[in-house]
């Protein structure tokens, strides 16, 4: 389907561009959200008549987004989640979670503003893009940890999972035999064997000679 863009769409075009998109993308996203018009003769005339106002409104929204971006850019949000010993979360962090965390910090950001290619499923500090306007985007840091203490360490650049692995393996030592060949298992010490008792017949014979 051919559409007329009413705002800049990343990797698609700028205001006024006529572009070809998939029918589902147009019907489910662009048209209902007021981001485009069907590219027919009537809509072309409507767009050209209102072009000046459309561009002015876009510039106003861009200015507001640029102002908001100054307080959001570089912000760090901390999320405490349960995770396995390998650092995998029991669940995941979604765009909705990030939007709610930002709002709790005083930033009005909608879920649709969070550009998250896939949910966050592991501990660590992740960089996430926030699009405040089609022409204004900033990066934030998301510190996902199992406790405030771990979050503080991660904020300082400590790899908590690597540090934990080192602690788990510390103290594990293998018996070492300097005389063993590579790959050879150290031999156990030989067992002490008690002297064998004399046969019954021999003992009996010695007694007979003494009596004689």
């Amino acid at each position: 389907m051919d559409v007329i863009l009413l705002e800049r769409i990343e990797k698609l075009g700028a205001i006024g561009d006529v572009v070809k998109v998939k029918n589902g993308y147009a019907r489910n996203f662009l048209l209902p959200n007021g981001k485009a018009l069907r590219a027919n003769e009537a809509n072309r005339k409507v767009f050209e008549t209102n072009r000046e106002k459309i561009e002015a409104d876009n510039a106003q929204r861009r200015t507001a987004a640029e102002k908001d971006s100054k307080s959001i850019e570089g912000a760090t949000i901390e999320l405490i989640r349960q995770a396995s010993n390998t650092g995998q979360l029991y669940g995941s962090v979604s765009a909705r979670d990030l939007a709610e965390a930002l709002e709790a910090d005083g930033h009005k950001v909608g879920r649709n503003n969070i550009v998250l290619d896939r949910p966050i499923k592991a501990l660590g500090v992740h960089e996430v893009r926030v699009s405040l306007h089609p022409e204004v985007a900033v990066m934030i840091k998301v510190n996902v940890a199992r406790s405030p203490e771990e979050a503080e360490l991660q904020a300082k650049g400590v790899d908590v999972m690597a540090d934990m692995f080192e602690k788990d393996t510390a103290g594990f030592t293998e018996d070492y035999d300097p005389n063993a060949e590579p790959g050879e298992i150290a031999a156990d010490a030989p067992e002490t064997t008690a002297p064998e008792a004399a046969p019954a017949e021999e003992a009996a014979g010695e007694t007979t000679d003494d009596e004689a």
Side-chain angles (χ1 to χ4, degrees):
M1 180 188 298
D2 289 338
V3 297
I4 305 169
L5 297 181
L6 299 179
E7 65 178 47
R8 178 181 177 274
I9 304 295
E10 191 172 359
K11 298 181 182 180
L12 198 58
I15 294 176
D17 287 350
V18 177
V19 296
K20 190 176 189 63
V21 297
K22 292 182 179 180
N23 291 346
Y25 181 54
R27 294 195 183 102
N28 298 327
F29 180 70
L30 296 178
L31 300 179
N33 287 296
K35 296 179 180 295
L37 296 172
R38 294 176 185 272
N40 53 42
E41 192 59 33
N43 283 337
R44 290 175 193 272
K45 292 179 180 180
V46 169
F47 174 77
E48 289 303 329
T49 300
N50 295 279
R51 182 173 191 134
E52 186 174 340
K53 182 179 185 303
I54 292 171
E55 292 180 342
D57 290 344
N58 178 71
Q60 186 176 0
R61 292 195 304 273
R62 183 177 64 240
T63 299
E66 288 172 345
K67 183 179 179 180
D68 293 338
S69 70
K70 294 178 181 178
S71 63
I72 299 176
E73 187 170 13
T76 298
I77 57 177
E78 183 179 299
L79 296 175
I80 305 302
R81 293 288 189 273
Q82 292 184 332
S84 68
N85 290 334
T86 60
Q88 296 301 305
L89 301 182
Y90 296 132
S92 61
V93 175
S94 65
R96 181 188 296 276
D97 295 326
L98 300 183
E100 291 176 353
L102 284 169
E103 186 173 357
D105 283 348
H107 307 297
K108 290 186 177 181
V109 176
R111 180 184 61 178
N112 294 334
N113 297 121
I114 307 297
V115 183
L116 198 61
D117 294 332
R118 61 183 63 85
I120 297 173
K121 297 184 177 181
L123 297 174
V125 178
H126 308 266
E127 287 197 341
V128 176
R129 186 164 174 255
V130 179
S131 178
L132 302 173
H133 178 273
E135 300 171 45
V136 181
V138 296
M139 299 299 293
I140 64 170
K141 290 183 178 181
V142 183
N143 188 345
V144 186
R146 291 178 295 186
S147 67
E149 292 76 18
E150 281 191 357
E152 185 177 354
L153 289 173
Q154 289 184 160
K156 293 178 180 178
V158 177
D159 188 335
V160 172
M161 296 313 302
D163 188 53
M164 181 179 299
F165 178 77
E166 289 177 3
K167 289 180 180 178
D168 287 343
T169 56
F172 173 78
T173 56
E174 185 178 356
D175 288 338
Y176 174 68
D177 182 353
N179 298 319
E181 292 295 328
E184 181 180 343
I185 299 175
D188 295 334
E191 296 181 358
T192 303
T193 305
E196 294 183 1
E201 294 89 356
E202 183 179 343
E206 291 175 357
T207 304
T208 304
D209 293 341
D210 291 342
E211 291 175 349

